[in-house]
Amino acid sequence: MPEIDWPRPPIPANEAHRLRAIERYKLGGIGREPAFDRVTRLAAELFDVPMSLVSIIGSDMQCFRGACGMDATGTPRDEAFCAFAILSDEVMVVPDTHLDPRFIRHPFVLNDPFVRFYAGAPLRIGGLALGTLCLVDSKPRSFGAAEQRRLAALAETVVDMIELRVDRFAAEAHRQRTVEERELLTLTVENVSEGVALFDGDLRLTLWNEAFCELFAYTPDEIREGMGADELMRLTARRGELGPGDPDLIVAAFVASIKASTGRDIEVQRARRVLDVRRRTISGGRFILTVRDVTHDRQIARLKDELVSTVSHELRTPLTAISGALGLMASGAAGALPERAGRLVTVGYRNAERLATLVNDLLDMDKLQSGKLSFNFASGDLGALLAEAVEQNQPYAERFGVTLDLVLPDAPVAAHFDHLRVMQVVTNLLSNAAKFSPEGGQVRISLGVDGDTARISVADDGPGISPEFRKRLFDRFAQEDGAHQNKHAGTGLGLAISQGIAQAHGGGITLDDAAGPGATFHLTLPLAGPGEH
């Protein structure tokens, strides 16, 4: 049987964009959908035709996403009447295929289904015709302007369905991702040793693990999804574990804190446990609580502090005696010493002094932590204190070939402070700056006023402080690694003690991250109030 030949439909100029739109709207491939089947049944009934199709014209195939009166799922594109219909903005009508040269020799005209009538309305989305809603009959028929308008209107309904369908797919994909993420989060939370609880933007509990319940001793009946953070906190407050006072007032303060800040760390003291509770705000106004049992850590820290305190107190008296005796020997009070013996006594005296300094630092740290460090506050001029500190520390700076340069304001700067303790802080800053400065360097000390605060600044020309160490700068026993640090070993307590003293005055010490080269520290202290001058 000779092959039938008929005119093939041309390719639209915007074909590449059209095919990408088909993929974007997930219309590619073969497969009918019930919603589109219902539209074709409605179209067939409205226009009294045996066949109706929702046809999508792909690169090689015409795919039927909906069909009435036809079992096929598609045809080659070359055989698609609809491939001609997408070339026009209007409804394409073929009243009688036997009278149309494009279709008179078409296989679907000469063979089953023996098409004699065709009407196709383009399905246009964003100016691109992706396919058609078409009507097919095996008998010729007329199709007037009114009918064409109705078919075009029905085609617009199909376009709306396609767009809603994509939205539905996106919503379903989002829901599926949400389910998967929640499953992953739940699995992760259940497999961490810390207690974890997640709250939504309305402060309602959405997720928690068994460790969270166990650490707070919540029973299964007490905790449930959707309960408010205030309800959960009230359970703990009523047991007295959030401090003394009215539980409702305590809870109200906690809720206000959640709304006002992005994070907070507290310790909850239970009967036999100490819990480290940390709150962090995350996206969407949600927040997460993590709970860790730090009972053992606190016990170890307390034992260490007690050991350090005991040893320091026991060492102070004999060290004072040893240092005093060596000092007298070095000064010749016990008679002239041979040269070698004199050198050994001097070395011993210096090391005894260093050990005494360490013991004094340990005792100061212990008193700061226990709140027992005594202060004698009095009004005074900070400028005069700085001048005295520079004079006292100039010999120390000269050992390193460093000069101390003091700049003071014209007027006195009055503050209410403990002269001895603030001198201790300034001396620590000056000695650090001097020993880390290069030979021939300069340490710059200045005093200024910012509002109701006095600011003492100490800047050096040294190597500065690494970003990694800045986070531990004021920790006890913190020392930076590096060649320049190894030359100037210390206790690692000076800045921690200085920070504690400054904070006891209502001020603080900060490292200026913007200043450089070298390091610049700022000591801030409140100015004297009315009547304190």
Side-chain angles (χ1 to χ4, degrees):
M1 181 177 179
E3 184 178 347
I4 300 173
D5 191 25
W6 71 95
R8 269 49 173 186
I11 301 297
N14 58 5
E15 181 69 2
H17 295 292
R18 201 183 64 79
L19 293 177
R20 281 197 294 271
I22 288 174
E23 291 303 314
R24 187 166 62 251
Y25 284 95
K26 302 185 184 302
L27 292 168
I30 295 174
R32 288 163 54 173
E33 298 179 35
F36 293 133
D37 278 344
R38 288 193 290 272
V39 171
T40 58
R41 287 197 296 270
L42 175 62
E45 183 177 345
L46 285 175
F47 294 99
D48 192 25
V49 294
M51 290 173 283
S52 176
L53 305 168
V54 171
S55 171
I56 303 299
I57 306 300
S59 57
D60 300 311
M61 290 289 295
Q62 165 186 235
C63 301
F64 302 148
R65 307 304 298 187
C68 174
M70 185 176 291
D71 295 330
T73 56
T75 70
R77 178 172 177 165
D78 285 349
E79 299 178 1
F81 280 57
C82 297
F84 287 96
I86 64 172
L87 301 174
S88 172
D89 292 337
E90 307 297 329
V91 175
M92 185 183 94
V93 180
V94 182
D96 188 347
T97 56
H98 288 183
L99 303 178
D100 192 315
R102 294 173 297 176
F103 305 112
I104 190 171
R105 294 181 55 78
H106 196 284
F108 290 162
V109 174
L110 301 178
N111 303 299
D112 189 56
F114 301 104
V115 177
R116 293 291 299 275
F117 165 78
Y118 172 88
L123 302 175
R124 288 194 169 273
I125 303 179
L128 301 170
L130 309 187
T132 70
L133 170 64
C134 66
L135 309 173
V136 179
D137 200 344
S138 57
K139 299 180 295 185
R141 58 186 296 167
S142 60
F143 201 71
E147 292 174 303
Q148 292 180 39
R149 286 195 299 271
R150 288 198 294 272
L151 181 61
L154 193 55
E156 290 178 3
T157 300
V158 175
V159 168
D160 291 341
M161 292 172 61
I162 290 173
E163 293 180 328
L164 289 172
R165 168 181 174 275
V166 171
D167 291 341
R168 188 179 73 249
F169 286 161
E172 177 60 26
H174 176 72
R175 188 195 67 79
Q176 185 61 33
R177 283 196 303 271
T178 301
V179 170
E180 292 171 357
E181 289 172 0
R182 184 180 177 86
E183 289 176 349
L184 178 61
L185 180 60
T186 301
L187 183 63
T188 302
V189 165
E190 287 297 338
N191 284 276
V192 296
S193 57
E194 293 184 344
V196 179
L198 179 65
F199 295 80
D200 64 20
D202 295 323
L203 308 187
R204 300 204 169 274
L205 182 64
T206 61
L207 185 68
W208 66 95
N209 64 359
E210 288 297 323
F212 182 79
C213 295
E214 191 271 331
L215 288 169
F216 275 109
Y218 294 139
T219 66
D221 293 336
E222 291 177 318
I223 191 167
R224 69 185 187 282
E225 184 174 357
M227 72 184 304
D230 57 337
E231 297 178 71
L232 198 59
M233 292 176 188
R234 193 169 288 106
L235 294 175
T236 303
R238 285 174 177 168
R239 298 191 300 227
E241 295 171 355
L242 295 180
D246 185 339
D248 290 334
L249 295 179
I250 294 172
V251 170
F254 269 92
V255 171
S257 171
I258 292 171
K259 294 178 179 178
S261 63
T262 59
R264 187 181 178 188
D265 300 344
I266 63 169
E267 280 195 356
V268 174
Q269 184 72 52
R270 304 200 61 237
R272 297 182 179 179
R273 277 181 164 174
V274 181
L275 304 181
D276 178 40
V277 183
R278 304 191 176 197
R279 172 178 58 81
R280 295 294 180 267
T281 299
I282 54 179
S283 62
R286 299 173 296 167
F287 73 91
I288 188 168
L289 284 183
T290 58
V291 187
R292 187 166 61 94
D293 188 338
V294 293
T295 308
H296 183 67
D297 295 346
R298 295 297 177 268
Q299 290 172 343
I300 295 297
R302 187 179 67 254
L303 290 173
K304 183 178 72 174
D305 290 342
E306 290 173 356
L307 176 63
V308 168
S309 178
T310 301
V311 171
S312 299
H313 279 91
E314 294 299 325
L315 283 175
R316 173 177 262 182
T317 300
L319 269 176
T320 301
I322 292 170
S323 179
L326 289 173
L328 290 172
M329 292 176 66
S331 66
L337 297 173
E339 181 181 352
R340 184 177 181 187
R343 288 199 304 270
L344 292 174
V345 167
T346 300
V347 170
Y349 175 68
R350 288 177 179 172
N351 279 282
E353 287 291 300
R354 288 178 59 191
L355 192 54
T357 300
L358 171 60
V359 169
N360 287 330
D361 283 349
L362 288 171
L363 289 172
D364 281 347
M365 196 74 248
D366 179 57
K367 290 176 181 178
L368 273 172
Q369 288 184 297
S370 62
K372 296 178 180 178
L373 189 64
S374 60
F375 292 91
N376 296 310
F377 290 95
S379 296
D381 177 18
L382 288 174
L385 180 143
L386 289 179
E388 181 184 346
V390 168
E391 181 180 359
Q392 290 183 8
N393 285 276
Q394 189 65 58
Y396 180 83
E398 289 173 355
R399 287 172 48 189
F400 299 94
V402 175
T403 59
L404 303 181
D405 181 25
L406 175 63
V407 177
L408 296 176
D410 295 333
V413 177
H416 198 63
F417 59 92
D418 183 316
H419 186 279
L420 181 64
R421 293 301 181 187
V422 173
M423 178 66 75
Q424 179 181 351
V425 173
V426 174
T427 296
N428 178 263
L429 295 177
L430 292 179
S431 61
N432 282 344
K435 70 183 179 181
F436 288 111
S437 292
E439 187 174 356
Q442 183 184 63
V443 174
R444 296 167 296 283
I445 309 100
S446 62
L447 173 62
V449 175
D450 182 10
D452 59 356
T453 301
R455 188 170 81 167
I456 299 169
S457 300
V458 178
D460 62 54
D461 299 322
I465 297 170
S466 68
E468 295 78 15
F469 183 63
R470 292 180 187 186
K471 293 179 287 188
R472 301 185 293 113
L473 191 57
F474 297 101
D475 292 349
R476 291 182 300 163
F477 305 105
Q479 292 182 305
E480 186 171 15
D481 296 330
H484 68 277
Q485 178 70 30
N486 295 335
K487 297 177 183 177
H488 309 290
T491 65
L493 289 172
L495 281 176
I497 293 171
S498 297
Q499 182 70 282
I501 292 172
Q503 290 173 346
H505 281 73
I509 302 176
T510 57
L511 173 67
D512 192 332
D513 292 329
T520 299
F521 284 88
H522 300 297
L523 165 63
T524 56
L525 297 170
L527 293 174
E532 294 180 336
H533 295 275

